[in-house]
Amino acid sequence: MQHGRFLYGLQFAFTIAVCAFLVVPVVMSILAGLTVNYFVGLESGLTLRWVLEVWDGYRDTLFLSLGLALACLVLTLLLGVPLAYLLARSRGRLARAIEELLMLPVAVPGLATALGLIVAYGGLAGFRTSAAFILVGHVLFTLPFMVRSVLAVLSVIDLPTLEEGAASLGAGFAQRFRDIVLPNCRNGILAGALMVVTLSMGEFNMTWLLHTPFTKTLPVGLADAYASLRLEIGSAYTLIFFLLITPLLLALQALARPRRTVFAERDPSAENDS
């Protein structure tokens, strides 16, 4: 009994240590954006000056990053969910080859993918200087995560039997996809959406090469702030990033929670009357 408690305490202490190792640098960075003097620390006092300065000078990058993340989520849903469904229904070698090819943008460095996009589409001046050019790169990078998340859920259910049962009751393809496929892969869709939004908001390597002075995203602006040694500005930038991304993550996690099924209690008097 005591041995079990000791192991539990050891595991709990190890978990706290790992969490502290990950969280403490983030907390220190956020506090740096709220202090009057970064080098003095909290003794110099707290202020919102740096946060307001970031908001006045960089709010366009914040809204651009948020818009790109949401647009990337919509496109990966429209492309990734049907593609995962097709891969789940097809068990051949071609489907497996396509599934592996989808992972190439993740395996290849982001700079190499961005360079390929510039070589292929850099001649389209209007497209090259627009935010849509960055969006294409984000979709290429995040689409595999959506496909894999949905495919993992669809692979563990007997999808053909469910669809055959629905078809025998007269349901067409559109109705089967809406009422059978989508509800069963709901958790996979939400897990993929969580990864797509976070990866798009924080993507830097590819975006750094694809962006222009008029399409600067939040991570690129954050790198510029730190590169110019404006540590308070960069830390305040980090704080605003967390204020933007945290509500999205909490909302997606709330949607991903399994729904409770409520069963109505039978009325014995109604059964006797019948």
Side-chain angles (χ1 to χ4, degrees), residues 97-234:
I98 294 175
E99 183 179 347
E100 295 302 324
L101 288 175
L102 283 173
M103 298 304 297
L104 282 180
V106 180
V108 175
L111 291 177
T113 304
L115 183 61
L117 289 174
I118 292 174
V119 171
Y121 307 110
L124 304 176
F127 180 56
R128 173 65 183 90
T129 57
S130 67
F133 195 58
I134 300 177
L135 178 60
V136 171
H138 284 202
V139 171
L140 285 175
F141 178 65
T142 58
L143 183 62
F145 295 93
M146 178 63 74
V147 174
R148 280 297 181 94
S149 298
V150 178
L151 184 59
V153 175
L154 293 179
S155 298
V156 298
I157 62 176
D158 192 359
L159 189 60
T161 301
L162 294 176
E163 287 197 280
E164 289 174 4
S168 66
L169 297 175
F173 174 76
Q175 186 177 3
R176 295 198 306 270
F177 188 80
R178 183 191 65 207
D179 298 336
I180 301 297
V181 178
L182 292 181
N184 278 281
C185 64
R186 173 178 176 270
N187 290 337
I189 292 175
L190 292 173
L194 185 66
M195 288 188 288
V196 167
V197 171
T198 53
L199 290 173
S200 179
M201 285 285 292
E203 209 291 318
F204 171 75
N205 292 330
M206 185 187 302
T207 309
W208 181 79
L209 197 59
L210 296 179
H211 88 283
T212 67
F214 301 101
T215 57
K216 186 181 294 185
T217 63
L218 190 152
V220 176
L222 180 61
D224 290 344
Y226 279 114
S228 61
L229 298 180
R230 304 184 67 187
L231 299 180
E232 293 87 353
I233 296 295

